[in-house]
Amino acid sequence: MGGELKNLIKVWILAISCLSYCYLIASKFPKGLLRLISLFPVFYLFIILPLNLSSIHFCGVTSFFLVWLANFKLLLFAFDQGPLSSQLHHKLFHFILVACLPIKFKPNPPQGIVTKPHQQSTQKSYQVPLKSLLLVTKLLLLLSIFYAYEYRQHLHQYVVLALYCCHVYLELELILALCSTPARVLGFALEPQFNEPYLATSLQDFWGRRWNLMVTSILRPTVYDPVQYICRRNKVGHMWPQLLGVVATFIVSGLMHEVIYYYLTRVPPSWEVTWFFVLHGVCVAIEVWLKKKLIKRCGRLPRAVSGALVLIFVAATGLWLFFAQIFRNKLEEKVITEVFFSLDFVRSIMT
């Protein structure tokens, strides 16, 4: 554990050094091809750095933050686009936080719209305790799952799979919330990383407005908007640009998940997770088309029905395709072993 922590510290010292170079030197190049070329060494280093980590948790989080989020944000930065080009990040520390952490700032209220002080205080007085209560509840649920793992040999296989799926969601949400803490301490207002995805009423609602919103916000300017722009310039029709943009976004998301799976398993990709996102991309595109064509004639399904269908579809396809490589490589067993090892490590320190 100690050696892995040292490797983690070394990796992030190098990452912070690279981002300092981006802020202090690469930003001086004119936007476009020259700045993009100046960022190539950083792209390369961010791709190889997670290979120095063997822990599932350390490697998974680091590869997501550096290989996906940071590289995509820097790609936008090369053309003076995206979150790193904002005037808000005129300090090096702010630039590093936004570049490598899952942080998305709330936009300022439009000019002319004034929120009364007592309204702001009332909203905060309700929102802060509620969010804290939800996080504490989710933490307790996650700890309960860890406790249940000790008896997994007595549980049915599907019960263990269900526990692991809940474990992935809860741990991911708590890690992202924890990583955004530095920005909150500095007084920045942040948008949530998740928006209660179990309340989704459609696939479009699930992926676009509820699940891992940081990824959604970074894929839109890097994939969805450019594909739409190219399609419209080539005059491929009225609805095709949006539908092709949706499918292309899901394909890129699938490929990036394959990359992260490689860091976790160190085995060649099986492409099942890519097909998971291709399937969902096609289904979302069909859903968007049906909404525009049939919603006025047939109306919407009741929320309870549509919500249940969405969750069943996501869970079924997830077990079929998304988690297939994880289970094949016994990754869930490694994760559970790491959890127990980490808990024992914490207990040893406390005692």
Side-chain angles (χ1 to χ4, degrees):
M1 188 71 178
E4 188 69 2
L5 283 173
K6 289 181 181 178
N7 289 338
L8 180 69
I9 293 170
K10 290 177 183 177
V11 164
W12 278 98
I13 288 175
L14 282 171
I16 291 171
S17 301
C18 289
L19 291 172
S20 300
Y21 157 81
C22 296
Y23 178 82
L24 297 171
I25 299 176
S27 62
K28 307 306 179 185
F29 288 90
K31 65 178 180 180
L33 184 59
L34 282 178
R35 190 185 295 181
L36 179 64
I37 293 172
S38 72
L39 293 173
F40 280 168
V42 178
F43 293 146
Y44 173 73
L45 284 172
F46 280 3
I47 289 171
I48 66 171
L49 280 177
L51 295 173
N52 294 284
L53 301 171
S54 57
S55 164
I56 301 297
H57 289 87
F58 291 164
C59 183
V61 172
T62 301
S63 60
F64 175 57
F65 286 178
L66 297 183
V67 181
W68 193 341
L69 293 187
N71 275 345
F72 275 54
K73 290 177 184 178
L74 289 174
L75 180 62
L76 292 171
F77 176 66
F79 300 94
D80 210 21
Q81 301 291 324
L84 296 179
S85 63
S86 171
Q87 293 297 320
L88 181 66
H89 317 309
H90 59 280
K91 294 182 179 179
L92 175 60
F93 185 60
H94 296 170
F95 183 90
I96 292 172
L97 281 179
V98 175
C100 63
L101 294 181
I103 293 172
K104 182 183 178 185
F105 295 102
K106 287 184 179 180
N108 293 324
Q111 292 184 356
I113 298 178
V114 180
T115 304
K116 296 180 180 179
H118 74 274
Q119 290 179 334
Q120 291 180 338
S121 61
T122 302
Q123 290 174 354
K124 288 182 180 180
S125 64
Y126 282 108
Q127 290 177 356
V128 173
L130 181 59
K131 290 180 180 178
S132 301
L133 180 61
L134 285 173
L135 284 176
V136 170
T137 302
K138 289 171 182 177
L139 177 60
L140 292 175
L141 286 173
L142 184 62
L143 292 175
S144 300
I145 291 172
F146 291 166
Y147 180 77
Y149 281 153
E150 296 184 3
Y151 303 93
R152 64 186 183 278
Q153 65 271 21
H154 304 297
L155 300 174
H156 193 277
Q157 180 184 5
Y158 290 116
V159 175
V160 178
L161 290 180
L163 288 173
Y164 183 72
C165 292
C166 294
H167 170 190
V168 170
Y169 162 64
L170 292 170
E171 189 170 76
L172 183 59
E173 181 163 6
L174 290 170
I175 287 175
L176 293 179
L178 180 65
C179 291
S180 65
T181 300
R184 295 185 188 277
V185 171
L186 292 173
F188 291 116
L190 306 179
E191 292 190 355
Q193 307 301 326
F194 288 86
N195 185 21
E196 313 305 334
Y198 41 82
L199 299 179
T201 56
S202 67
L203 285 175
Q204 186 182 15
D205 183 37
F206 180 87
W207 291 112
R209 291 182 286 271
R210 294 187 179 275
W211 181 263
N212 205 348
L213 301 178
M214 187 67 250
V215 168
T216 302
S217 67
I218 205 65
L219 285 176
R220 177 176 288 275
T222 52
V223 183
Y224 181 79
D225 290 341
V227 169
Q228 273 204 320
Y229 175 77
I230 292 170
C231 290
R232 289 204 169 99
R233 286 205 59 177
N234 289 278
K235 300 178 180 179
V236 297
H238 176 65
M239 285 200 63
W240 280 108
Q242 181 183 8
L243 300 182
L244 291 175
V246 167
V247 175
T249 301
F250 274 88
I251 291 173
V252 172
S253 180
L255 293 174
M256 291 309 301
H257 278 83
E258 291 284 1
V259 171
I260 292 175
Y261 272 32
Y262 174 77
Y263 287 114
L264 297 178
T265 63
R266 309 295 165 92
V267 298
S270 60
W271 306 112
E272 287 153 315
V273 70
T274 299
W275 281 113
F276 169 82
F277 283 97
V278 170
L279 173 62
H280 278 254
V282 171
C283 289
V284 170
I286 293 172
E287 184 183 86
V288 170
W289 182 83
L290 288 174
K291 283 180 179 178
K292 292 190 174 182
K293 295 294 182 180
L294 301 178
I295 195 71
K296 292 182 180 179
R297 301 179 189 176
C298 306
R300 296 179 181 272
L301 289 173
R303 291 179 64 91
V305 175
S306 61
L309 290 175
V310 169
L311 293 180
I312 291 171
F313 182 76
V314 172
T317 55
L319 289 174
W320 173 36
L321 294 171
F322 188 84
F323 290 104
Q325 192 173 354
I326 291 177
F327 297 144
R328 188 184 308 114
N329 292 284
K330 306 287 186 185
L331 205 62
E332 79 282 5
E333 290 294 331
K334 296 177 184 176
V335 170
I336 294 171
T337 302
E338 277 192 13
V339 167
F340 288 145
F341 186 79
S342 300
L343 292 175
D344 291 339
F345 181 74
V346 171
R347 290 193 196 103
S348 65
I349 293 176
M350 294 178 66
T351 55

